[in-house]
Amino acid sequence: MTSELGHYETYIFDLDGCLYTGNEPYPGSIALISYLADMNKKIIFLSNNSTETSDEVLANMSDMGFPVVGMQAMVATDLTGKYLLEKYGKVTVSVCGSESLEASLKGFGHRVVRLDDHSTSEFIVLGRDVHFNYEKLRRTVNQVQRGAKLVLTNSDVYHPGALGERVPETGALLASVLSMLDSPSVIAIGKPEPYPFQKALELSGTSRDACLMVGDNIYTDIKGGSNAGIDTLWISYHRSRPRASPVPTYKVSTIDGFFRKLRNQI
Amino acid sequence: MTSELGHYETYIFDLDGCLYTGNEPYPGSIALISYLADMNKKIIFLSNNSTETSDEVLANMSDMGFPVVGMQAMVATDLTGKYLLEKYGKVTVSVCGSESLEASLKGFGHRVVRLDDHSTSEFIVLGRDVHFNYEKLRRTVNQVQRGAKLVLTNSDVYHPGALGERVPETGALLASVLSMLDSPSVIAIGKPEPYPFQKALELSGTSRDACLMVGDNIYTDIKGGSNAGIDTLWISYHRSRPRASPVPTYKVSTIDGFFRKLRNQI
């Protein structure tokens, strides 16, 4: 491994849209992860997934064929409860999101109460919620109007689905909520915010110079990594970089291209 | 009726938030409408309501005690189908909105198909939809990505509900949809767009100088009326005019205040 891409000690990977889409690994991604593991590199998965817990994500990856034993995943679902605990202690929250998000918040010791008109929550946590609806929008907005703090797991507006479809993400649900508020203040957790990168760095046990962030999303992975002072590798999947967007340290077209470049094959 | 507010031939009224809230008439509003009718003034109700038809709105008003016989309501629900018919002829639409909105579109001769993954609609009509949810958001966005034109009944983000609650309106649902689109183009129908005012003027049979628009919403009633060259009366309900907002011709605090001013009692 003499490539300049091979000198890092820790490789932080985005997941959905980077290593796989849905439950389909991209060509070369399993081989890449195996190769880095064989080289004794530290591997951390850092995802804005807000519907599944870190353990659920690792189990899915294992089912897809990734060698995840001994690897760590940090996903927005769990980072949210962790952040609230570190910053505010154990709090009372209502959740507009998945059952896994609720379970994760409870796991960090928070008190989870129903998102109804009578709850007196200190925080409303908004994650990707496939059961989001008009009524939840109304309740979320009016709870915030009454003083609850709005917490956003991640700000992505959509992720790519089958046949190039756009699958709504937390940020799209947030847009409705924000449109109804006068001077909204939102506590955002996921990439590109500093918190996930700070936690990943702590977990790596290495200096930031020794870490590389690998991702396909220029506004979360590359911007966040760059803000955190970490080198970044953008998997462009043949997209061109949007104007005025952050500049990645490296760019390759596919995850397989990264693998081949790492082995000096291209 | 010697007041300067009494010289108009046609009085165009906003409804919810102006004459009543929910099903509760504001003090003085029934007496005002009766008084203007006795003076042989033309009365037109112009509302951004996108969940009920004009007939349903008039029936509700009658139940509340308003003397609506011979009066006309033009609401966004019906204006949408009318606009599409006048501009594009009979078209194929999918609806993200109420059953009344669907029925109204059918009434104008449009073909209404289900908002599903297989429909090939030319237009998606978005109205206030109390059954709006994650799945409808996904389908709406991906239909627009495949070429359907997005039609918005009205752009209000909320209307006031009981105890000062914010009740989500069409514009709040639109915010989610727009957040997921790259270069969205939206055909908007309701106030402050010109179409409702143009139709109200036609219906009045009077010149624009002889019309007064009365409403509580500075951004729809007052801005729209002002753009249409009609004098406007803002019922402020003790709010102050937001900075950089349009300037109404007249301002009173309550609908009862308008009634008293009209009769030179204040």
Side-chain angles (χ1 to χ4, degrees), chain A residues 128-130 132-134 137-138 141-142 145 157-158 165-168 171-173 175-176 179-182, chain B residues 128-134 137-138 141-142 145 157-158 165-168 171-173 175-176 179-182:
Chain A
R128 186 169 80 99
D129 182 0
V130 299
F132 187 78
N133 60 30
Y134 182 90
L137 168 62
R138 186 184 67 74
V141 164
N142 289 291
Q145 283 288 102
V157 287
Y158 65 86
E165 205 197 30
R166 297 187 171 187
V167 181
L173 312 181
S176 283
S179 75
M180 292 176 63
L181 296 169
D182 301 322
Chain B
R128 186 169 80 100
D129 183 0
V130 299
H131 302 294
F132 188 78
N133 60 30
Y134 182 90
L137 169 62
R138 185 184 67 75
V141 164
N142 288 290
Q145 283 289 102
V157 287
Y158 65 86
E165 206 197 27
R166 299 189 169 187
V167 181
L173 313 181
S176 283
S179 76
M180 292 176 63
L181 296 168
D182 301 322

Side-chain angles (χ1 to χ4, degrees), chain A residues 215-230:
Chain A
D216 70 302
N217 189 318
I218 204 95
Y219 296 113
T220 54
D221 303 318
I222 306 309
K223 185 178 169 196
S226 179
N227 286 348
I230 300 173

Side-chain angles (χ1 to χ4, degrees), chain A residues 15-17 19-26 29-30 49 52 56-66 159-162:
Chain A
L15 293 176
D16 211 333
L19 294 181
Y20 53 81
T21 181
N23 285 317
E24 201 63 51
Y26 286 130
S29 64
I30 291 176
N49 183 320
E52 294 164 313
E56 287 166 343
V57 164
L58 284 175
N60 289 351
M61 290 183 74
S62 179
D63 289 346
M64 285 186 244
F66 286 94
H159 70 250

Side-chain angles (χ1 to χ4, degrees), chain B residues 15-26 64 159-162:
Chain B
L15 293 176
D16 211 332
C18 175
L19 294 182
Y20 53 81
T21 180
N23 285 318
E24 202 61 51
Y26 286 130
M64 283 185 244
H159 70 251

